[in-house]
Amino acid sequence: MTASTATDRAGILDSLSGPQDLATLDDEQTLALACEIRELLITTVTATGGHLGASLGTVELTLAVHRVFRSPEDVLIWDTGHQAYTHKLVTGRRAEFDTLRTAGGLSGYPSRSESKHDQVENSHASVSIAWAHGVARALALRDETARRVVAVIGDGALTGGVAWEGLNNLGSSDLPVVVIVNDNTLSYDPTAGALGAHLAQLRRGYGHDNLFATLGFGYLGPVDGHDVAATEQALRRAAALGTPVVVHVETEKGRGYPPAAQSPDRMHACGVVDASTGRPRSPSAPTWTDVFEAALAEVADSLPGVVAATAAMRLPTGLGTMSRAHPQRVFDSGIAEQHLLASAAGMAAAGLHPVAALYATFFGRAVDQALYDIGLHQLPVTLVFDRAGITGPDGPSHHGIYDLALLGCVPGMQVACPRDPARVRELLTEAVTLTTPSALRFPKSTAGKDIAAETRIGGIDILYRSPQRRDHPDVLLVAIGAMADACVDAATQLTAEGVAVTVADPRWVLPINPALTMLAGHHRAVVCVEDGVRNGGIGSRLASAISERDLHSIMVRALGVPNAFLPQGTRSQLLAHYGLTGAGIAAAAQALLIRQDRTGLPEPALSPGGSPCA
């Protein structure tokens, strides 16, 4: 598109007072608006990062939805809300769109605090049909028969089990719900399993074995989702039926942006990139995921019994190298974490050692399987949690802050938190040799440099010891995984202030290593630092273990994040906000020592063997 054409077309979006104005546009204006939105998506999302590919594919579909239905009177529910950027733009958020995914700015997903047009803000996939069923039930009970409920699902989300639970329940009702299946053939990878094949069959016109119809739905489609008029026509027919109906809409992920067309995942998500090329503006340092990817490939080369599995996140979770070297040993369940872990249990029971890689935030979807399929059977499955802890701009539903608390509830689960790249390789190698359940977690950030240990005591790495009073140290800083660098920084600050400090990395953080409680017994105070929730986290479990040893003279402070839904912002911004920096940790340690001095507790007694830190 030429610059002059873009200038001529600019301004339609700004002229809208709300989604109701879309119905006043003629065909040419609607097409012009779609082009304007697509340009804005490309320029903004490449500057802020975000879910570009799916939103580029739903521009015309979104316009058609808002031209037919009357939000918010009609309830629109977006599954995997990264399809909803155009929805944000036409519902009054154009002026703020350049704040997308920044601290205090627009969410990357629908957000009820932003707009009355956003009904569901949870960005975890596959729940829209169940939500729509529930909303429609409530409207029916209140006799609000003029209102329609619309669920927009797609981008791989229909592979999730809860989506089929929703279809099973909704299809047997007479509720007037319109389910729009946005069929772009992808999540990150091509839609997994038989569903992808069935949708392809429907796209080719072989609808005599239509699964949706079998489940009780009316079926319309397939429709070209980039043809606003055709999509509108199908949606109006669907709305008039007054019973559950599926509208099958074909869209092209990443439409209109050549770099997306050349990307294997059609740029499902991107960081800050050059808009003209779609590539990072400057070379990026290796991430934790990159380190894990290389380590897993090495392990797979040497151990043929190791297999890898993921839930629609093969490349984002670092399975790319192994899938190229050993494609027959890498499995994608689609967006189906419950199936993923239960299947992993089956593979482990049959003699393999599965490495199940997923984002930490999605572990909550499969806790039952971790407990009763893997844990109860004490099977050798290694869970690998990417994006653990504070993740940053994706906001409340994507921070991976609950995994440590949840893993601690699984009897026999051994959990490792690597502090640096060398420990990723070391701990993964140890994990895949275990004959019982294990887990490994790391954050979404660059991996940084290795942090050498001064010595190892009972499996615990000692990273730092103040030169003064090594026989009677003041504070033990317990560094959980990636918090090690900040703990060492805090230790140097405390040492300069005359406080004698030890920094310990447990490496394996669950169950609590008895050597760690013994080490704690030689200090006045203990501060455990993690970027997960404090309640039920490593710090609270360590405090309990210390109490059980009757070490009542030792004060313990668990530093982490509150049991709350954390806002969006960069990882560094949020770590600083919650005091998880060198300065914040040092201040917390000083406050704990002052508190202990005021209580007059006695010094901890040394064992006959003296301090293990000496």
Side-chain angles (χ1 to χ4, degrees):
M1 178 179 293
T2 65
S4 61
T5 304
T7 302
D8 292 341
R9 289 180 171 179
I12 299 176
L13 181 59
D14 290 334
S15 71
L16 300 177
S17 63
Q20 70 279 357
D21 291 349
L22 292 173
T24 68
L25 302 180
D26 61 27
D27 290 347
E28 183 178 354
Q29 290 172 317
T30 303
L31 176 61
L33 177 60
C35 293
E36 183 184 339
I37 289 172
R38 193 163 270 114
E39 287 187 3
L40 179 61
L41 289 174
I42 293 168
T43 57
T44 301
V45 180
T46 56
T48 63
H51 290 91
L52 181 57
S55 286
L56 287 173
T58 56
V59 175
E60 292 84 3
L61 170 59
T62 304
L63 297 181
V65 167
H66 277 291
R67 282 166 66 89
V68 173
F69 298 99
R70 301 168 297 109
S71 175
E73 287 78 15
D74 292 330
V75 180
L76 306 183
I77 299 173
W78 296 87
D79 209 302
T80 56
H82 46 65
Q83 304 179 91
Y85 289 180
T86 299
H87 166 78
K88 284 178 176 280
L89 288 169
V90 301
T91 53
R93 286 166 274 185
R94 162 69 182 91
E96 308 158 272
F97 199 62
D98 60 356
T99 69
L100 189 72
R101 303 175 75 248
T102 61
L106 289 182
S107 169
Y109 302 96
S111 171
R112 290 175 296 172
S113 65
E114 287 179 10
S115 174
K116 62 185 179 181
H117 298 282
D118 291 3
Q119 303 286 341
V120 180
E121 58 191 66
N122 181 3
S123 58
H124 288 195
S126 310
V127 300
S128 62
I129 299 172
W131 266 84
H133 187 214
V135 171
R137 273 179 166 168
L139 296 181
L141 285 172
R142 292 203 301 264
D143 200 28
E144 298 181 26
T145 57
R147 302 179 67 185
R148 289 291 179 265
V149 181
V150 181
V152 186
I153 189 168
D155 209 39
L158 203 56
T159 58
V162 69
W164 292 95
E165 294 170 20
L167 287 169
N168 180 54
N169 282 273
L170 182 57
S172 62
S173 76
D174 59 357
L175 297 170
V177 175
V178 177
V179 177
I180 300 173
V181 175
N182 172 25
D183 179 9
N184 60 16
T185 74
L186 294 165
S187 49
Y188 275 95
D189 281 333
T191 302
L195 172 64
H198 184 64
L199 290 175
Q201 182 186 52
L202 295 178
R203 289 195 300 271
R204 293 193 298 268
Y206 303 120
H208 56 278
D209 292 325
N210 190 309
L211 181 57
F212 301 111
T214 301
L215 288 171
F217 286 83
Y219 174 85
L220 297 172
V223 180
D224 180 357
H226 301 295
D227 184 331
V228 176
T231 305
E232 274 190 62
Q233 183 181 23
L235 293 178
R236 292 188 191 281
R237 287 179 59 198
L241 288 176
T243 55
V245 58
V246 166
V247 180
H248 182 181
V249 178
E250 294 183 72
T251 64
E252 178 189 358
K253 195 166 185 173
R255 185 178 179 88
Y257 187 41
Q262 298 159 12
S263 168
D265 64 357
R266 306 285 174 85
M267 290 189 75
H268 174 91
C270 68
V272 176
V273 298
D274 185 327
S276 63
T277 64
R279 298 192 185 98
R281 291 175 180 167
S282 57
S284 57
T287 65
W288 290 91
T289 309
D290 296 331
V291 175
F292 165 70
E293 180 165 347
L296 178 64
E298 292 175 8
V299 165
D301 286 343
S302 59
L303 297 174
V306 169
V307 296
T310 189
M313 298 285 182
R314 181 179 60 89
L315 297 179
T317 58
L319 303 188
T321 300
M322 183 175 171
S323 65
R324 290 187 292 273
H326 306 286
Q328 74 282 5
R329 291 162 56 191
V330 177
F331 309 103
D332 182 356
S333 69
I335 301 176
E337 288 81 5
Q338 289 179 298
H339 171 83
L340 175 75
L341 295 199
S343 176
M347 287 188 282
L352 299 176
H353 191 117
V355 174
L358 61 159
Y359 288 6
T361 183
F362 299 137
F363 173 54
R365 297 163 65 98
V367 171
D368 186 87
Q369 284 66 43
L371 269 168
Y372 299 112
D373 294 296
I374 296 171
L376 179 63
H377 296 86
Q378 285 296 287
L379 292 168
V381 175
T382 297
L383 308 177
V384 175
F385 295 149
D386 201 323
R387 275 78 164 170
I390 292 172
T391 56
D394 278 328
S397 64
H398 271 56
H399 293 298
I401 58 174
Y402 299 104
D403 59 306
L404 288 174
L406 292 171
L407 287 167
C409 297
V410 182
M413 177 68 71
Q414 299 180 68
V415 182
C417 293
R419 68 178 181 266
D420 58 17
R423 254 43 62 179
V424 172
R425 294 185 287 270
E426 176 181 272
L427 291 168
L428 178 64
T429 300
E430 292 178 19
V432 296
T433 63
L434 295 175
T435 58
T436 51
S438 62
L440 187 94
R441 59 138 25 208
F442 46 80
K444 179 184 180 182
S445 64
T446 56
K449 297 180 180 179
D450 289 339
I451 304 172
E454 292 186 12
T455 188
R456 181 170 290 179
I457 300 171
I460 299 166
D461 281 351
I462 305 301
L463 308 183
Y464 181 94
R465 293 180 295 174
S466 298
Q468 69 266 35
R469 291 184 285 111
R470 288 195 170 187
D471 286 340
H472 296 83
D474 296 303
V475 180
L476 173 65
L477 298 182
V478 180
I480 304 302
M483 293 291 96
D485 193 53
C487 285
V488 172
D489 182 21
T492 60
Q493 295 179 43
L494 289 166
T495 297
E497 297 165 4
V499 177
V501 185
T502 306
V503 179
D505 169 16
R507 298 173 60 254
W508 289 94
V509 300
L510 289 174
I512 299 297
N513 188 337
L516 185 60
T517 56
M518 184 183 76
L519 182 63
H522 297 278
H523 295 75
R524 294 173 56 200
V526 176
V527 178
C528 184
V529 186
E530 58 196 300
D531 64 345
V533 290
R534 294 187 297 268
N535 295 348
I538 308 304
S540 66
R541 292 178 183 277
L542 176 58
S544 177
I546 289 172
S547 176
E548 288 173 3
R549 286 197 61 198
D550 294 325
L551 298 172
H552 301 298
S553 64
I554 301 169
M555 282 193 160
V556 182
R557 174 82 185 273
L559 287 186
V561 300
N563 187 23
F565 295 111
L566 309 189
Q568 66 192 38
T570 66
R571 178 173 164 84
S572 59
Q573 285 173 331
L574 292 171
L575 287 172
H577 178 75
Y578 292 108
L580 300 176
T581 62
I585 295 165
Q590 284 280 31
L592 192 61
L593 290 173
I594 291 170
R595 181 180 162 200
Q596 189 189 56
D597 289 340
R598 287 174 177 169
T599 63
L601 289 174
E603 293 287 325
L606 290 177
S607 64
S611 170
C613 297

